[in-house]
C-alpha cells in the first residue's frame, strides 16, 4: 500500500495483519524549500509521540523501519519503508464449509509442483546421484522418535482428560447432523443439514454428545512395512485399521507389541522408482531388545473415570487438556513433514504412506465415475486431526445465544471451547476466530444501530 502522507490513524494500522507501506518521493527532482518539507519528515524528538514510537509499543506487533535516504541540500528524502506484522489479527474468517459435492483444494497447486519438479531436474542434471536420506531409504529419522512418543502420549492424555471434562461441561450434539454445541443449552441457529431438515426449518434436535463427537476418530490402515506394496482391494478387510495419529507415530518409531512394524538397520537398494530390495543384514549382530524412550500411557476405561469437583482442579485439568491438544497438533505437524500422509480429495479417508491404498471404498460424490477409487493428494494437519468448530459462548452464566445476533458471535474448536468454559486461559491463536474484541449488542434494536 503506497501512501504519500504519514497521517495514519493507529486503529487503521492495528487492524491489518501484514501491511507494508512506503512513502515515495515524487518531488525528488523538483527544487523546493527544504526547510518546510523537512519538518514534515523529521522524526519526533519527543519519545512516544511519533508514529514510529507508538507502533513499537503495540503488543503482538513486530515493527521495523527502514530508511534509504540521501539528504541533499535541495531534495527531500527519497523514501521511508515501514513493515507492520501481526501474528494474531483481531478478527479472522471462519473455516470454509466444503460441500460433499466439492473436491478439496490441493495444499500446493499442481502448477507450482510441476515448476518445482522442473527446477529440481535442471539442478540435478549432470550432478552425481546423492544417497537417499531417511525415511525414504527405509531407516527411521532418529530425531523424530522422541517427537513420536510425545504425540502418542499427548493423544492419550487428551482422551483421558476429555472423558473427565465431559462430566463437568455440558456438550450437545444434533441427532440428525454432525453439528455440536458446547454450553448449557443448544444454540438456536437454523443450520441443520440432516434428514428432514426442511420440516424442522433447519432447527437442531439436541442430544448428549459423546467423545467421538468431539474428537473425531480418523482411522487408517496399519502397514507392517511402510515401503511395501500397496494394499489391494481384496485385502481391505484383512488388514487392521487403527487411529491415523497412532499409525503415524508407529511409522515414526513408536513400538507397540499389538501392531508390529518392520525396522530396517541398513538402507534399501533401489532398483527402480517402484522396485527395491532389502540390504543383507546377516553380518550385523542380533538386535538387542530396545527399551522405550518414554513409558507409553494407556486410556482410562469409562467405568474408572472420576470427574473433579473442585473449581481449581477443573481449571487445572482444562489447562492440561489444552496443552495436550497443542502438543499433539504441533508434534503431528512436524512428523507430517518427514513421513508423508495422504487424504482423499472427495472423502475423509486418510492413508499414512507415500502412496494411498487401492481399496475401492470411496462413496463420495460421483464415485461411480472413479469406480470407487480414492483421489489421493497430500494431506494437511486438519485432515489428520480435524478440529470441530463450535460457536463460542461469551458468558456461560448469562443469556443464551440469540438467533438475530449470529454475526457477532465467534467460533473455536470444540476441545478449546470445552477447556475455556472449564476455566482455562484462551490461547492467542484462537482469539481471532472467537472475535474476543467484538462488542455484542444487548438486543436487536442495538444491533440495528451498528454501522
Amino acid at each position: 500500500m503506497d501512501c504519500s502522507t504519514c497521517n495514519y490513524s493507529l486503529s487503521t494500522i492495528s487492524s491489518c495483519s501484514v501491511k507494508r507501506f512506503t512513502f515515495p518521493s515524487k518531488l525528488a527532482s523538483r527544487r523546493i524549500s527544504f526547510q518546510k518539507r523537512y519538518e514534515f519528515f523529521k522524526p519526533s524528538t519527543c519519545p512516544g509521540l511519533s508514529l514510529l514510537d507508538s507502533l513499537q509499543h503495540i503488543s503482538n506487533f513486530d515493527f521495523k523501519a527502514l530508511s534509504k535516504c540521501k539528504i541533499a541540500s535541495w531534495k527531500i528524502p527519497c523514501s521511508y519503508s515501514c513493515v507492520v506484522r501481526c501474528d494474531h489479527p483481531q478478527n479472522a474468517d471462519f473455516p470454509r464449509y466444503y460441500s460433499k459435492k466439492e473436491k478439496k483444494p490441493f495444499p500446493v497447486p499442481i502448477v507450482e509442483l510441476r515448476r518445482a519438479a522442473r527446477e529440481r531436474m535442471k539442478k540435478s542434471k549432470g550432478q552425481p546421484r546423492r544417497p537417499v536420506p531417511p525415511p525414504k531409504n527405509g531407516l527411521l529419522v532418529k530425531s523424530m522418535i522422541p517427537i513420536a512418543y510425545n504425540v502418542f502420549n499427548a493423544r492419550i492424555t487428551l482422551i483421558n482428560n476429555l472423558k473427565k471434562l465431559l462430566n463437568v461441561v455440558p456438550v450437545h450434539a444434533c441427532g440428525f447432523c454432525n453439528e455440536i454445541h458446547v454450553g448449557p443449552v443448544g444454540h438456536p441457529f437454523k443450520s441443520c443439514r440432516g434428514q428432514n431438515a426442511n420440516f424442522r426449518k433447519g432447527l437442531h434436535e439436541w442430544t448428549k454428545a459423546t467423545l467421538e463427537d468431539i474428537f473425531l476418530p480418523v482411522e487408517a490402515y496399519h502397514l507392517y512395512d511402510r515401503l511395501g506394496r500397496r494394499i489391494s482391494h481384496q485385502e481391505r478387510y484383512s488388514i487392521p485399521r487403527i487411529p491415523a495419529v497412532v499409525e503415524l507415530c508407529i511409522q515414526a518409531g513408536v513400538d507397540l507389541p499389538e501392531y508390529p512394524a518392520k525396522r530396517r538397520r541398513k538402507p534399501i537398494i533401489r532398483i527402480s522408482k517402484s522396485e527395491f530390495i532389502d540390504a543383507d543384514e546377516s553380518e550385523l549382530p542380533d538386535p538387542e531388545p530396545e527399551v522405550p524412550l518414554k513409558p507409553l500411557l494407556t486410556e482410562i476405561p469409562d467405568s474408572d473415570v472420576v470427574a473433579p469437583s473442585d473449581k481449581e482442579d477443573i481449571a487445572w485439568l482444562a489447562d492440561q487438556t489444552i496443552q495436550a491438544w497443542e502438543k499433539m497438533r504441533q508434534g503431528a505437524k512436524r512428523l507430517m513433514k518427514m513421513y508423508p500422509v495422504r487424504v482423499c480429495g472427495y472423502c475423509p479417508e486418510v492413508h499414512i504412506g507415500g502412496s494411498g491404498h487401492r481399496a475401492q471404498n470411496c462413496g463420495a460424490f460421483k464415485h461411480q465415475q472413479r469406480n470407487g477409487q480414492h483421489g489421493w493428494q497430500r494431506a494437511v494437519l486438519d485432515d489428520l486431526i480435524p478440529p470441530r468448530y463450535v460457536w463460542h459462548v461469551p458468558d456461560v452464566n448469562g443469556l443464551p445465544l440469540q438467533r438475530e445476533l449470529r454475526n457477532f458471535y465467534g467460533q473455536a474448536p470444540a476441545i478449546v471451547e470445552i477447556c475455556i468454559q472449564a476455566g482455562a486461559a484462551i490461547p492467542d491463536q484462537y482469539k481471532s476466530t472467537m472475535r474476543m474484541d467484538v462488542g455484542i449488542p444487548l438486543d436487536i434494536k442495538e444491533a440495528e444501530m451498528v454501522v
Side-chain angles (χ1 to χ4, degrees):
M1 179 173 63
D2 297 333
C3 306
S4 58
T5 62
C6 58
N7 296 327
Y8 293 96
S9 62
L10 190 58
S11 60
T12 304
I13 296 178
S14 61
S15 63
C16 302
S17 59
V18 178
K19 295 292 183 183
R20 181 181 180 90
F21 51 91
T22 60
F23 303 94
S25 172
K26 297 182 179 179
L27 304 176
S29 61
R30 301 179 182 179
R31 293 181 178 271
I32 59 175
S33 178
F34 175 72
Q35 294 180 355
K36 296 182 179 180
R37 295 291 182 178
Y38 181 69
E39 292 177 357
F40 179 78
F41 290 94
K42 185 173 64 175
S44 177
T45 57
C46 300
L49 298 180
S50 64
L51 175 63
L52 306 183
D53 294 334
S54 61
L55 287 176
Q56 292 176 356
H57 294 84
I58 299 176
S59 59
N60 295 333
F61 277 91
D62 182 15
F63 180 80
K64 296 181 180 179
L66 306 175
S67 63
K68 299 178 181 179
C69 308
K70 293 182 179 180
I71 301 177
S73 60
W74 56 277
K75 293 183 180 180
I76 65 174
C78 299
S79 65
Y80 280 85
S81 178
C82 300
V83 178
V84 179
R85 296 177 181 176
C86 180
D87 297 333
H88 308 296
Q90 182 181 9
N91 295 320
D93 296 334
F94 298 150
R96 179 184 173 187
Y97 173 78
Y98 290 97
S99 174
K100 295 182 179 180
K101 299 181 181 180
E102 186 177 4
K103 186 182 180 299
K104 300 175 186 177
F106 289 96
V108 182
I110 298 295
V111 178
E112 296 183 6
L113 292 176
R114 292 176 179 176
R115 185 183 297 111
R118 289 193 297 266
E119 292 179 358
R120 289 195 302 267
M121 291 292 293
K122 291 180 181 179
K123 292 180 180 180
S124 62
K125 188 175 182 179
Q127 299 292 334
R129 182 173 298 180
R130 298 179 180 179
V132 180
K136 295 182 180 180
N137 60 358
L139 304 180
L140 295 176
V141 183
K142 295 183 179 180
S143 60
M144 292 294 168
I145 297 178
I147 300 177
Y149 276 89
N150 294 336
V151 172
F152 184 87
N153 289 336
R155 177 183 174 274
I156 300 298
T157 303
L158 178 65
I159 293 176
N160 295 337
N161 293 349
L162 284 178
K163 290 181 179 180
K164 299 177 182 179
L165 290 177
L166 284 178
N167 297 327
V168 179
V169 181
V171 184
H172 304 275
C174 182
F176 294 93
C177 65
N178 58 353
E179 190 167 349
I180 59 177
H181 180 73
V182 182
V185 294
H187 65 74
F189 306 137
K190 298 181 179 181
S191 57
C192 183
R193 300 183 179 91
Q195 186 179 6
N196 298 329
N198 296 331
F199 298 98
R200 291 179 283 106
K201 297 182 180 180
L203 292 175
H204 299 274
E205 290 192 5
W206 299 110
T207 59
K208 186 177 181 181
T210 60
L211 179 63
E212 287 74 15
D213 297 328
I214 303 170
F215 189 56
L216 294 179
V218 180
E219 295 184 348
Y221 285 107
H222 170 61
L223 302 180
Y224 172 74
D225 185 7
R226 57 185 176 84
L227 297 182
R229 60 182 182 85
R230 300 172 64 180
I231 299 174
S232 61
H233 181 69
Q234 291 74 18
E235 299 174 341
R236 63 187 185 279
Y237 296 122
S238 59
I239 298 178
R241 291 178 63 87
I242 60 177
V245 179
V246 177
E247 175 62 20
L248 179 62
C249 296
I250 292 175
Q251 293 189 14
V254 176
D255 294 326
L256 296 179
E258 57 271 22
Y259 300 110
K262 186 175 183 179
R263 306 298 186 191
R264 294 180 175 87
R265 293 184 292 170
K266 278 188 176 182
I268 61 175
I269 301 174
R270 182 72 63 178
I271 299 177
S272 62
K273 185 177 181 180
S274 59
E275 295 182 2
F276 68 92
I277 58 176
D278 292 331
D280 186 12
E281 299 181 359
S282 59
E283 300 178 356
L284 299 177
D286 295 336
E288 298 179 359
E290 297 182 359
V291 180
L293 298 179
K294 295 182 180 180
L296 299 177
L297 303 179
T298 57
E299 296 185 15
I300 301 176
D302 296 340
S303 58
D304 298 341
V305 174
V306 178
S309 57
D310 191 5
K311 291 185 178 180
E312 296 181 357
D313 296 340
I314 295 175
W316 179 84
L317 183 63
D319 289 332
Q320 297 297 320
T321 304
I322 202 168
Q323 290 178 10
W325 166 258
E326 293 297 329
K327 189 176 183 179
M328 180 185 64
R329 285 181 61 87
Q330 293 176 4
K333 187 175 181 179
R334 295 185 60 183
L335 293 178
M336 292 176 65
K337 294 180 180 180
M338 300 298 299
Y339 296 89
V341 180
R342 303 295 178 183
V343 65
C344 179
Y346 304 93
C347 70
E349 179 72 10
V350 174
H351 182 78
I352 313 299
S355 56
H357 58 77
R358 295 179 177 176
Q360 302 175 3
N361 53 4
C362 182
F365 182 65
K366 292 186 178 181
H367 63 90
Q368 298 88 350
Q369 298 180 2
R370 294 175 280 108
N371 196 18
Q373 297 181 357
H374 296 280
W376 297 110
Q377 64 187 38
R378 182 181 176 184
V380 296
L381 182 61
D382 290 346
D383 296 327
L384 183 67
I385 308 175
R388 297 292 308 275
Y389 276 85
V390 297
W391 291 100
H392 170 61
V393 181
D395 187 5
V396 180
N397 300 324
L399 296 175
L401 302 182
Q402 301 182 30
R403 186 182 306 170
E404 294 79 7
L405 305 179
R406 177 175 178 175
N407 296 332
F408 296 92
Y409 299 122
Q411 292 185 0
I415 297 177
V416 178
E417 181 66 19
I418 291 174
C419 297
I420 291 173
Q421 293 189 15
I426 303 177
D428 294 336
Q429 60 268 27
Y430 299 108
K431 290 183 179 180
S432 58
T433 56
M434 294 173 66
R435 296 181 178 177
M436 301 298 298
D437 299 333
V438 175
I440 301 177
L442 299 178
D443 52 9
I444 304 175
K445 294 182 179 180
E446 186 175 353
E448 293 176 353
M449 298 174 61
V450 177
V451 179

